[in-house]
């Protein structure tokens, strides 16, 4: 007797191969049988009629800032309603551990940590808090480079000394022992922009012993894009570890089209090392409001998503607020206090070029604690299927599903996940390919997608308690 039978669905198995008709049988959290004959329905406690629907591996969101959401909203509605069954956390150099003194955290950490009570001195303590909350989705934590720097340096606006790098090593040891899978960096941000290539190379060389990867928000995604790509490649090459480029893009009107050159450099490096990247399917980004970020575009290209000093300005363009307050750009940013924003600074041609790349997977990069978050928080994965498969035919349906599941599982070294295969963990999403759609918008970003019918995490309908901590085993990168 099986626990669940998903009957007569169209299977898109995560390999990129052609869909096929079959029934999937689940027991003890695993896929136990895939029956393509359709002649006899095997006995099961629960029956899911998937006729007319697609059955695929649960989506893997490889770039999130859900570190604390796993604790405060363990049902994870913004993820589950997209068909996401696994999230990667600790990106862009931010992680909620190890943090010895929350009073030292810069304001930018508010995009990840809504309250200082959600900081943890060790990764063991953080992951214990997540386990106690029992989130609905699986999670793969990373340790943040910026967080490490803040623990051992009196001034983060310079390169770390050899002694400070050595002081980071026990913190890295503890994090990997607890269960992290890599080191993330956010070199465009104030806490890490002072780090030099030698510092990052030393840390990446150190994590090689743990089979760790370097996941990087590179130093400059605008005028310095190509140099920053070269730096990340050099770090990975010297340290002999994989490199994953976070939310790869080219920002600023003068740099539209530069992804053609950045991808060419990445492809050259892929001949001798493991490299991948993630992308979100939008032409506007979201992060903390800083002068540095605003200067990549124009004030009219910036929409405020969060402000602790002037919350009534949320939803307005920075140019409007400047005119209303009669202040300069810098003074307006100061008046808004700790704030976040949307930045309309990318080109659709670059998004599409990166999305099609064979080493590219999908990440939402949503900020769950912004009052008016980027719509990618709730809409990324349905949007890919709606816009780039059904509407514009940029990707085939099997290719898009692979970028959301099997390829992501390979790159992050997840054992027996990411595919609809017998003997694999039953992380499964059932959706209607004809109605799948993002409903989130800029004005109403917290809106549930259409077309996601069933989501199973470790063999059970996704709910509090179905998720697990996942650890990296053997990473496999596309050739």
């Amino acid at each position: 007797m099986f626990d669940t039978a998903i009957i007569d669905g169209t299977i898109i198995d995560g390999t990129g191969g052609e869909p096929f008709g079959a029934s999937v049988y689940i027991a003890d959290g695993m896929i136990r049988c895939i029956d393509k004959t359709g002649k006899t329905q095997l006995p099961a406690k629960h029956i899911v009629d998937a006729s007319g629907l697609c059955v695929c591996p649960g989506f893997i969101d490889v770039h999130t800032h859900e570190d604390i959401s796993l604790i405060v909203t363990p049902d994870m509605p913004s993820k589950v309603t997209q068909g996401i069954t696994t999230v990667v956390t600790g990106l862009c150099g931010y992680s909620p551990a190890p943090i010895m003194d929350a009073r030292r955290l810069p304001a930018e950490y508010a995009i990840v940590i809504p309250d200082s009570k959600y900081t943890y001195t060790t990764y063991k303590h953080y992951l214990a808090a997540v386990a106690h909350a029992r989130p609905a989705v699986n999670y793969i934590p990373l340790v943040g480079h910026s967080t490490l720097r803040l623990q051992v340096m009196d001034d983060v606006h310079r390169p770390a000394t050899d002694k400070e790098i050595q002081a980071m090593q026990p913190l890295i040891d503890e994090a990997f022992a607890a269960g992290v899978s890599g080191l993330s960096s956010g070199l465009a941000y104030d806490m890490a922009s002072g780090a030099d290539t030698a510092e990052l190379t030393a840390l990446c060389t150190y994590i090689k012993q743990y089979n760790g990867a370097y996941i990087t928000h590179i130093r400059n995604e605008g005028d310095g894009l190509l140099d920053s790509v070269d730096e990340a490649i050099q770090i990975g090459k010297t340290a002999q570890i994989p490199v994953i480029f976070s939310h790869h893009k080219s920002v600023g009107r003068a740099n539209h089209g530069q992804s053609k050159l950045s991808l060419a450099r990445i492809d050259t490096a892929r001949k001798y090392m493991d490299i991948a990247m993630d992308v979100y399917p939008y032409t506007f980004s979201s992060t903390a409001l800083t002068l540095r970020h605003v200067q990549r575009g124009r004030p009219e290209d910036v929409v405020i998503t969060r402000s602790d000093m002037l919350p009534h300005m949320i939803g307005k363009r920075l140019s409007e607020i400047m005119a209303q307050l009669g202040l300069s750009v810098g003074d307006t940013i100061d008046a808004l206090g700790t704030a976040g924003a949307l930045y309309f600074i990318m080109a659709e041609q670059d998004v599409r070029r990166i999305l099609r790349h064979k080493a590219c997977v999908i990440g939402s990069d949503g900020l769950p604690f912004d009052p008016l978050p980027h719509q990618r928080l709730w809409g990324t994965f349905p949007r890919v299927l709606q816009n780039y498969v059904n509407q514009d035919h940029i990707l085939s349906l099997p290719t898009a599903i692979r970028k959301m599941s099997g390829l992501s599982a390979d790159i992050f070294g997840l054992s027996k996940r990411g595919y609809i295969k017998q003997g694999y963990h039953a992380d499964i999403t059932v959706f209607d390919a004809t109605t799948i759609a993002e409903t989130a918008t800029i004005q109403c970003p917290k809106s549930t997608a259409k077309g996601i019918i069933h989501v199973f995490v470790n063999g059970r309908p996704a709910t509090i308690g179905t998720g697990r901590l996942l650890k990296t085993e053997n990473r496999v990168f596309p050739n």
Side-chain angles (χ1 to χ4, degrees), residues 56-62 64 70 75-76 78-88 135-140 381 404-405 409 414 417-420 425-430 452 454-463 466-470:
C56 71
F59 303 147
I60 300 170
D61 191 342
V62 302
T64 82
L70 293 168
D75 54 336
M76 299 295 287
S78 67
K79 303 293 106 176
V80 170
T81 59
Q82 291 186 66
I84 294 166
T85 58
T86 299
V87 298
V88 181
V137 298
N138 303 315
Y139 47 101
I140 306 167
F381 287 75
M404 297 178 177
S405 57
L414 304 183
R417 294 186 191 270
Y419 296 92
I420 302 293
H425 297 277
D427 296 338
I428 297 174
T429 291
V430 181
I452 302 294
H454 301 283
V455 181
F456 295 87
V457 178
N458 294 306
R460 292 189 289 152
T463 187
T466 49
R468 299 177 186 170
L469 169 66
L470 304 184

Side-chain angles (χ1 to χ4, degrees), residues 102-328:
R103 294 171 299 180
R104 288 199 65 208
L105 286 183
E108 289 179 15
Y109 264 76
I111 70 172
V112 178
I113 301 173
D115 190 297
S116 61
K117 68 181 179 181
Y118 296 114
T119 59
Y120 304 86
T121 56
T122 66
Y123 241 99
K124 180 179 179 180
H125 289 136
Y126 164 66
L127 291 174
V130 175
H132 180 74
R134 304 175 62 242
V137 298
N138 303 315
Y139 47 101
I140 306 167
L142 308 173
V143 63
H145 168 239
S146 294
T147 303
L148 295 173
R149 301 185 97 234
L150 287 164
Q151 308 321 301
V152 304
M153 298 178 68
D154 58 359
D155 175 12
V156 295
H157 302 102
R158 56 169 175 78
T161 63
D162 289 346
K163 184 176 181 180
E164 288 165 338
I165 291 170
Q166 290 173 2
M168 295 182 208
Q169 293 175 356
L171 304 179
I172 292 172
D173 294 338
E174 190 280 329
F176 275 90
V180 307
S181 294
L183 173 73
S184 79
S185 71
L187 302 182
Y189 295 108
D190 189 56
M191 299 85 70
S193 61
D196 60 14
T197 305
E199 173 185 332
L200 291 153
T201 302
L203 293 173
C204 286
T205 301
Y206 190 76
I207 69 170
K208 178 177 170 58
Q209 65 185 302
Y210 297 114
N211 192 31
Y214 177 50
I215 299 90
T216 179
H217 177 155
I218 56 176
R219 198 175 296 276
N220 189 312
E221 296 172 321
D223 296 341
L225 173 64
L226 300 182
D227 288 342
S228 297
V229 166
D230 288 344
E231 178 187 34
I233 290 170
Q234 185 59 47
I235 290 167
K237 179 183 177 182
T238 304
Q240 298 181 352
I241 66 170
V243 174
I244 301 171
F245 288 89
S246 292
H247 43 58
H248 192 52
K249 56 183 173 290
S250 181
V251 303
R253 285 176 171 78
N255 301 305
H256 290 173
Q258 287 293 302
S259 63
K260 186 174 183 179
L261 299 177
S262 68
L263 292 176
R265 296 194 181 195
I266 288 170
D267 280 336
T268 297
R270 288 177 62 242
K271 296 175 182 178
Y272 56 81
M273 62 183 290
D274 288 333
I275 301 180
M277 71 197 81
D278 66 72
V279 70
Y280 50 78
Y282 300 88
T283 57
F284 55 103
S285 63
S286 176
T287 190
L289 178 67
T290 69
L291 184 59
R292 178 185 298 179
H293 286 100
V294 170
Q295 288 172 336
R296 299 183 304 183
R298 305 171 302 176
E300 55 264 41
D301 297 329
V302 181
V303 174
I304 303 305
T305 61
R306 171 173 50 89
S307 171
D308 65 345
M309 298 295 291
L310 301 174
H312 60 286
M313 296 295 187
I314 291 171
K316 294 186 177 183
R317 293 187 179 271
L318 183 61
S319 54
E320 296 177 60
I321 301 171
M322 289 170 58
Q324 187 172 334
L325 299 180
L327 297 175
S328 67

Side-chain angles (χ1 to χ4, degrees), residues 14 60 402 405-414 417-419 474-478:
I60 300 170
R402 174 157 175 74
S405 57
L407 182 57
S408 302
D410 291 347
I411 290 167
F412 279 87
L414 304 183
R417 294 186 191 270
Y419 296 92
N474 294 318
R475 300 178 188 270
V476 179
F477 286 70

